[in-house]
Amino acid sequence: MAQGLSPAIDALVDDLKRLPGVGQKTAQRMAFYLLERDRQGALALSASLQQAADRVGHCQQCRTLTEEALCRICANPARRESGVVCIVETPADVLAIEQTSQFKGRYFVLMGHLSPLDGIGPADIGLDELELQLKQGPVEEIILATNPTVEGDATAHYIADIAEQLGINTTRIAHGVPVGGELGYVDQTTLGHAFSGRKQFSR
Amino acid sequence: MPQAAYVLHRRDYQESSLLVDLLTVNEGRVRVIAKGAKRNKNPWRAVLQAFNPLQVEYSGRHDLKTLTLAESPGTPLSLSSHYLYSGFYLNELLQRLLPQYAEVSELFLAYESALSALAKKQDIETVLRWFEWQLLQQLGHAFDWRSEAETGITLDQQAHCYFDPERGFLHENPMPDATPLDTQLVMSLEQLSQQPLVSDQVLDPAQRKLCKLIMREALAIHLGTKPLRSRELFKR
């Protein structure tokens, strides 16, 4: 979009607009901030962008984003040999689960979910690769942590079918009421899941 | 006035909205924008899921409407595994074959009854073949299970017949490579015409095999060359 200031600034603004949630105004603000007040930061940003875009690829084992052949989690022998694989849709889900520090196994990142109406089939989310890995390595348990959407459910069922054929125990993370929430405001489906998946209350 | 609807498909639209294709009881397939539906606290995020019976209202003068109300008064149907994939198959068929704003209230009822049959774990193939036939009828592509397409005379049960997807059943072979079909079995498939789908209706293995073949050919001429992706899920 020609703004008329200068070709270099226009190009910068246009490229910033690629970012999610960034429109014309925000992109302009970012561009002027970098140019007026933080040239050093601008250079650092461009260098790290360059580096990340050049080097970051996918982990050979779990498909998450990394610049190594194996990501840090897959490279950790304790986690690799734990025999537990957690299946998630995106690298952001890996970070979210890592922050709970509850999980000591490794991950498999689908980079999406099954969605036949969008033309996304099993091969597009690496399920053939997952099946291969499950056949090779000793895996005792699969934890399904796909999103609680219809597509996430379909993906979970499909993977559970694979695991069943291979005789691998499959669990799915519980759906429940958020901490600090009020029951009256929770949607019925979540509340229904929370009820059907209730646990023994231990004192 | 709110009307009954189901979500056929949804996709992200801009930062926080969804573009949703609905099957509504009064207006058929309608595309709406659900503004803000992706925001964390928005109840639409949970409500606007496929196979969830909805009450909706929308407004707007153009083809793309703005959703103004969406509630789910009942409990969502719980579909699992192959029953869930079948649900996607129904949705994909409707997305591909049903034009927007075609008035098809009977098709809505057929969809609803097929979904609830799947939720009750009725025989998948019977449900899918029944729905495919209802869809073909509603779209005006139906053929006659009992009469010869050329002459209009009742099919001769002693002779073989051949299927021509554009016309129906013929005793004369229309193409050199057409498969001869068992006429008695063909005529028995007329049971697919009944509405609604009853719970004890189950096609036997021979009927299923034949019906699948016929429906594939009948749908193929309307689907074009792009394959239905939800069929991949059944391959396991």
Side-chain angles (χ1 to χ4, degrees), chain A residues 16-87:
Chain A
L16 285 169
K17 285 199 310 202
R18 293 169 192 275
L19 296 168
V22 177
Q24 180 70 26
K25 277 279 172 203
T26 317
Q28 269 173 22
R29 215 174 116 232
M30 287 174 171
F32 288 136
Y33 175 82
L34 289 172
L35 296 173
E36 282 175 58
R37 300 172 194 237
D38 199 0
R39 286 293 169 108
Q40 281 282 270
L43 291 173
L45 177 64
S46 87
S48 45
L49 268 178
Q50 176 89 48
Q51 192 173 349
D54 280 349
R55 293 204 193 154
V56 173
H58 292 280
C59 170
Q60 285 171 3
Q61 189 161 31
C62 74
R63 307 200 340 142
T64 197
L65 295 169
T66 178
E67 67 256 47
E68 317 285 343
L70 284 180
C71 71
R72 281 190 188 162
I73 296 170
C74 291
N76 178 343
R79 303 193 69 162
R80 198 173 55 217
E81 281 143 31
S82 65
V84 186
V85 183
C86 179
I87 309 222

Side-chain angles (χ1 to χ4, degrees), chain B residues 15-29:
Chain B
E15 270 311 289
S16 59
S17 305
L18 291 172
L19 202 59
V20 186
D21 284 302
L22 296 169
L23 180 69
T24 64
V25 64
N26 296 330
E27 291 191 285
R29 196 161 73 84

Side-chain angles (χ1 to χ4, degrees), chain A residues 20-21 114 116-119 121-122 124 131 148-151 153-154 157-158 161-162 165 187-189, chain B residues 8-9 15 46 49-51 72 74 76 79-82 84-85 88 91-92 95 229-230 232-233 236:
Chain A
L114 285 180
L117 278 76
D118 294 310
D124 302 305
E131 188 170 356
T149 57
V150 195
E151 288 82 6
D153 277 354
H157 281 291
Y158 196 89
D161 283 347
I162 298 178
Q165 282 172 11
D187 69 278
Q188 331 165 5
T189 321
Chain B
L8 293 177
H9 183 50
E15 270 311 289
Q49 297 274 350
F51 320 124
S72 77
L79 300 173
S80 58
S81 201
H82 282 66
L84 180 58
Y85 312 154
F88 279 117
N91 285 7
E92 193 176 12
Q95 280 287 81
R229 297 298 299 264
S230 39
E232 284 175 33
L233 300 178
R236 292 201 67 80

Side-chain angles (χ1 to χ4, degrees), chain B residues 7-191:
Chain B
V7 170
L8 293 177
H9 183 50
R10 61 181 227 184
R11 79 185 80 146
D12 293 349
Y13 183 71
Q14 295 176 345
E15 270 311 289
S16 59
S17 305
L18 291 172
L19 202 59
V20 186
D21 284 302
L22 296 169
L23 180 69
T24 64
V25 64
N26 296 330
E27 291 191 285
R29 196 161 73 84
V30 178
R31 181 167 287 179
V32 299
I33 296 181
K35 285 192 177 142
K38 267 177 11 185
R39 292 218 172 86
N40 258 336
K41 298 263 157 123
N42 196 308
W44 283 358
R45 220 159 71 125
V47 169
L48 293 172
Q49 297 274 350
F51 320 124
N52 190 10
L54 302 177
Q55 288 288 322
V56 301
E57 269 178 34
Y58 44 81
S59 64
R61 266 171 287 167
H62 304 286
D63 271 359
L64 185 59
K65 309 286 188 192
T66 305
L67 192 68
T68 54
L69 174 116
E71 288 174 343
S72 77
T75 40
L77 296 162
S78 79
L79 300 173
S80 58
S81 201
H82 282 66
Y83 301 96
L84 180 58
Y85 312 154
S86 306
F88 279 117
Y89 177 72
L90 299 185
N91 285 7
E92 193 176 12
L93 273 184
L94 289 172
Q95 280 287 81
R96 290 278 296 277
L97 295 180
L98 184 66
Q100 287 197 31
Y101 298 103
E103 272 191 50
V104 282
S105 59
E106 278 178 46
L107 190 60
F108 183 87
L109 298 177
Y111 178 75
E112 199 159 45
S113 105
L115 280 189
S116 77
L118 289 173
K120 287 185 216 137
K121 304 201 187 264
Q122 279 187 40
D123 177 60
I124 287 181
E125 291 210 32
T126 308
V127 176
L128 295 185
R129 299 297 90 79
W130 177 82
F131 183 78
E132 287 166 347
W133 177 240
Q134 299 294 326
L135 179 62
L136 286 173
Q137 278 183 311
Q138 294 285 320
L139 294 173
H141 304 313
F143 43 83
D144 195 332
W145 294 100
R146 301 194 65 85
S147 314
E148 231 268 353
E150 187 76 42
T151 57
I153 304 168
T154 310
L155 288 167
D156 177 5
Q157 300 209 10
Q158 308 306 320
H160 281 305
C161 65
Y162 301 89
F163 180 62
D164 175 350
E166 303 206 19
R167 294 154 76 194
F169 299 97
L170 299 163
H171 280 310
E172 288 289 319
N173 191 349
M175 287 156 286
D177 58 341
T179 335
L181 308 173
D182 178 341
T183 307
Q184 207 175 345
L185 207 54
V186 165
M187 290 170 86
S188 75
L189 291 175
E190 205 198 5
Q191 58 171 299

